[in-house]
């Protein structure tokens, strides 16, 4: 069995490491963050993700997974290294390759001392050409070795979603191997054949630049699909009796469209869609092509937030001194991740209008505090959050919010106005005692 190392213990890195360890591979997870290394070695997950805690505990107990601070130790004691360091956005939307460059340099230096074959796999999302034009030369320069012969190189994009990361890693729809040469691709294919055994997903082998673009195209398509259905939702709102949910349900039955990522709402957030759409726009522009469709998808997404706040103002008039209850802060349910969360954009707009904001989220309050501090109040339950509110905005569709009854709102709020930003409540039931507005629902 090949030994695996992972450089970077963020979301993708740690989930990848844990899944390999769970299948019995020896895994070294390299991080420069001492606190994170300590947490991982104590089997404590640095962030919330369903099943991660249990799998981490098992892996650490069985000694299949260890976090290390050095890069060299990770490289020398493994056969394949996944690079999963962050690729943050720069001001112009293009990505910052600082961590990728630094990691490639460190891996290169370690490879100089390494005997035997080694495969380097870039998993971080990078622009087309990065693996071959940036990573490869740095590895070669620092190792003094030749890529494709002395060490091997692939780009292998990740398609896991937060909140279902473990499931997505264990059951992907497909795997893309962007191989520097055939030998490199063969190595990674062999690893995945061993990992997935009889459940091997379809595997596509391409050159690295194609694989790099596939990742951006995948996320940008999904984000555009959501902006599309949000556009339809906004049209629906102008037509009495028309509901975007019905429209989405029916067009989703057309296999060419598919029912997934057709949920209208307050728009897309998270660490990937906004960053990747922006990066593809910047990349495309750098090649002299204006990607109008992606720019529109972006604008539609920004407008969804404005649209929701406008609706609150329509209902309440001035927001000065009004108390708004926000249900859900994380960018999606089942995660405590607040990156590019719609909640932050909405709350900032409400605060700008001098509203007071109270919020509740089952997991994300500690992370929300880091961003919003004490500008808003946080509560320990949904019902407490609703108390004396003039309006409630449902921002993130956590399962527990689906249990709320109209009375929970009408009996606790000062004014029973509900903005259902993710369409989780039954409009008929909630319209009886409440002033209910659901995104994409034309008033009958
Ligand atoms: C996304 C992709 O779905 C993954 O395939 C990819 O691997 C990942 O980015 C990445 O590049 O690392 P993620 O951001 O974790 O995954 O979460 P999604 O489930 O895709 O949701 C993203 C945003 O879209 C959320 O804000 C969610 O609320 C929103 N969304 C999603 C909708 O508004 N409507 C939908 O129908 C689906």
């Amino acid at each position: 069995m090949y030994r695996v190392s992972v450089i970077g213990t963020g979301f993708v890195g740690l989930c990848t490491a844990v899944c390999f360890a769970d299948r019995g591979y020896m895994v070294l997870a390299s991080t420069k963050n001492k606190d994170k290394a300590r947490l991982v070695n104590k089997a404590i997950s640095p962030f919330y993700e369903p099943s991660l805690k249990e799998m981490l505990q098992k892996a650490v107990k069985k000694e299949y997974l260890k976090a290390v601070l050095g890069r060299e130790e990770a490289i020398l004691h493994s056969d394949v290294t996944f690079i999963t360091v962050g690729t943050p956005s720069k001001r112009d939307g293009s990505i910052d390759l600082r961590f990728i460059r630094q990691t490639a340099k460190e891996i290169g230096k370690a490879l100089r001392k390494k005997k035997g074959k080694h495969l380097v796999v870039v998993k971080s999302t990078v622009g087309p050409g990065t693996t071959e034009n940036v990573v490869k030369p740095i590895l070669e320069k620092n190792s003094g070795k030749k890529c494709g012969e002395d060490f091997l190189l692939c780009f292998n994009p990740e398609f896991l979603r937060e909140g279902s990361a473990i499931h997505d890693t264990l059951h992907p729809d497909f795997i893309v191997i962007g191989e520097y040469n055939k030998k490199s691709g063969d190595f990674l294919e062999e690893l995945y054949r061993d990992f997935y055994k009889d459940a091997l997903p379809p595997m596509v082998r391409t050159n690295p630049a194609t694989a790099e673009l596939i990742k951006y195209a995948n996320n940008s398509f999904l984000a555009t699909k959501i902006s599309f259905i949000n556009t339809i939702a906004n049209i629906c709102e102008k037509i009495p009796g028309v509901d975007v949910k019905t429209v989405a349900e029916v067009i989703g039955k057309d296999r060419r469209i598919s029912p997934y990522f057709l949920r209208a709402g307050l728009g897309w957030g998270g660490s990937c869609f906004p960053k990747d759409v922006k990066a593809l726009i910047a990349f495309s522009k750098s090649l002299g092509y204006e990607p109008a469709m992606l720019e529109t998808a972006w604008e539609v997404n920004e407008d969804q937030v404005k649209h929701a706040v406008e609706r609150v103002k329509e209902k309440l008039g001035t927001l000065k001194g009004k108390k708004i209850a926000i249900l859900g802060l994380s960018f999606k349910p089942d995660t405590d991740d607040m990156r590019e969360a719609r909640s932050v954009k909405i709350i900032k707009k409400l605060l700008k209008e001098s509203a007071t904001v109270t919020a509740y989220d089952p997991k994300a309050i500690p992370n929300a505090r880091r961003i919003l501090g004490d500008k808003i109040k946080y509560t320990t339950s949904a019902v407490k959050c609703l108390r004396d509110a003039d309006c409630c905005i449902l921002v993130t569709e956590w399962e527990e919010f689906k249990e709320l009854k109209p009375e929970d709102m009408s009996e606790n709020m000062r004014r029973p106005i509900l903005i259902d930003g993710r369409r989780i409540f039954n409009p008929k039931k909630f319209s009886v005692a409440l002033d209910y507005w659901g995104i994409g629902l034309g008033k009958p």
Side-chain angles (χ1 to χ4, degrees):
M1 233 177 187
Y2 290 124
R3 296 161 305 165
V4 173
S5 58
V6 173
I7 310 286
T9 50
F11 197 78
V12 172
L14 195 56
C15 290
T16 305
V18 160
C19 286
F20 272 105
D22 195 64
R23 295 266 160 112
Y25 294 84
M26 299 304 287
V27 183
L28 290 174
S30 169
T31 171
K32 289 187 172 171
N33 183 326
K34 282 185 188 159
D35 293 337
K36 241 188 193 179
R38 203 171 333 110
L39 283 178
V40 171
N41 286 331
K42 278 189 185 164
I44 301 169
S45 175
F47 50 84
Y48 174 73
E49 174 66 27
S51 307
L52 182 63
K53 186 174 145 194
E54 296 75 17
M55 284 172 81
L56 185 61
Q57 282 169 349
K58 198 171 131 199
V60 172
K61 195 171 167 205
K62 288 192 167 179
E63 295 185 0
Y64 284 131
L65 173 65
K66 194 177 135 198
V68 292
L69 287 170
R71 303 301 198 213
E72 193 177 292
E73 185 184 351
I75 309 304
L76 295 182
H77 298 102
S78 64
D79 306 295
V80 47
T81 299
F82 288 95
I83 301 178
T84 62
V85 294
T87 48
S89 296
K90 288 201 278 200
R91 267 174 176 274
D92 65 355
S94 65
I95 56 165
D96 184 345
L97 291 175
R98 203 174 346 152
F99 303 121
I100 289 279
R101 285 201 176 88
Q102 179 63 21
T103 304
K105 192 172 163 191
E106 290 159 353
I107 295 176
K109 282 185 175 162
L111 283 176
R112 193 176 272 277
K113 298 184 185 165
K114 178 94 197 257
K115 292 189 183 73
K117 71 175 174 180
H118 199 96
L119 168 67
V120 179
V121 184
V122 181
K123 236 187 199 313
S124 310
T125 299
V126 292
T130 306
T131 301
E132 282 203 76
N133 304 331
V134 178
V135 178
K136 182 198 131 201
I138 299 177
L139 288 171
E140 285 189 327
K141 185 175 166 218
N142 288 279
S143 65
K145 293 182 176 179
K146 193 157 173 42
C147 184
E149 289 174 21
D150 306 327
F151 69 89
L152 305 173
L153 179 64
C154 287
F155 174 78
N156 171 223
E158 184 54 67
F159 299 101
L160 59 83
R161 289 161 301 172
E162 293 190 21
S164 51
I166 304 291
H167 175 272
D168 291 352
T169 307
L170 299 178
H171 309 280
D173 286 348
F174 55 88
I175 290 174
V176 182
I177 295 179
E179 60 199 39
Y180 174 70
N181 63 353
K182 186 171 178 308
K183 239 165 123 181
S184 301
D186 285 348
F187 190 138
L188 191 54
E189 177 166 339
E190 194 191 331
L191 177 73
Y192 280 134
R193 280 187 182 279
D194 182 60
F195 182 89
Y196 288 105
K197 304 237 159 32
D198 292 342
L200 186 75
M203 198 139 28
V204 187
R205 288 175 60 168
T206 69
N207 56 35
T210 304
E212 286 160 337
L213 187 60
I214 286 171
K215 170 68 192 181
Y216 277 127
N218 200 282
N219 272 356
S220 298
F221 180 85
L222 293 172
T224 305
K225 194 174 174 186
I226 301 167
S227 282
F228 170 81
I229 201 65
N230 284 338
T231 301
I232 299 295
N234 296 340
I235 297 172
C236 288
E237 284 174 23
K238 308 257 178 227
I239 320 170
V242 175
D243 186 350
V244 71
K245 270 184 123 172
T246 314
V247 176
E249 201 182 305
V250 176
I251 65 171
K253 288 188 198 299
D254 184 328
R255 275 182 294 177
R256 292 167 302 177
I257 296 176
S258 102
Y260 310 107
F261 283 69
L262 268 186
R263 274 178 289 117
L266 293 169
W268 31 274
S271 64
C272 305
F273 284 179
K275 176 167 87 80
D276 292 356
V277 170
K278 247 196 295 183
L280 188 53
I281 292 173
F283 179 74
S284 177
K285 280 183 175 170
S286 77
L287 301 177
Y289 176 68
E290 197 75 35
M293 184 194 270
L294 298 178
E295 286 171 335
T296 304
W298 179 272
E299 280 162 28
V300 169
N301 200 47
E302 294 301 292
D303 284 348
Q304 270 322 81
V305 167
K306 284 187 212 147
H307 180 56
V309 175
E310 283 309 314
R311 275 301 170 106
V312 181
K313 281 165 71 180
E314 257 170 47
K315 294 198 181 284
L316 290 177
T318 171
L319 298 187
K320 195 159 185 229
K322 303 275 166 51
K323 185 176 162 186
I324 315 293
I326 300 287
L327 293 182
L329 290 163
S330 56
F331 86 94
K332 63 182 268 187
D334 292 325
T335 177
D336 59 2
D337 198 336
M338 287 292 299
R339 285 175 286 179
E340 292 290 326
R342 299 295 91 186
S343 64
V344 176
K345 298 211 174 236
I346 291 173
I347 290 169
K348 284 190 174 161
K349 285 192 192 301
L350 294 172
L351 292 175
K352 213 171 160 198
E353 303 272 346
S354 305
T356 60
V357 176
T358 307
Y360 168 70
D361 186 285
K363 297 276 178 207
I365 290 177
N367 285 342
R369 255 186 225 283
R370 272 178 220 128
I371 301 169
L372 297 161
D374 55 9
K375 290 196 191 98
I376 66 168
K377 288 202 181 79
Y378 307 89
T379 63
T380 50
S381 76
V383 169
K384 281 184 189 158
C385 180
L386 293 167
R387 238 164 246 163
D388 299 327
D390 293 294
C391 175
C392 164
I393 312 179
L394 182 290
V395 179
T396 315
E397 65 276 34
W398 284 91
E399 271 310 306
E400 67 171 80
F401 299 150
K402 295 180 185 166
E403 306 297 318
L404 288 169
K405 296 182 192 67
E407 308 84 82
D408 293 323
M409 304 191 174
S410 57
E411 286 168 13
N412 282 292
M413 294 169 70
R414 185 157 46 203
R415 268 181 254 205
I417 299 170
L418 171 61
I419 309 274
D420 184 356
R422 298 287 175 185
R423 292 301 304 279
I424 64 167
F425 300 116
N426 179 328
K428 275 201 186 116
K429 257 171 75 184
F430 279 73
S431 295
V432 179
L434 299 166
D435 183 351
Y436 173 90
W437 172 60
I439 282 197
L441 184 65
K443 277 272 180 198

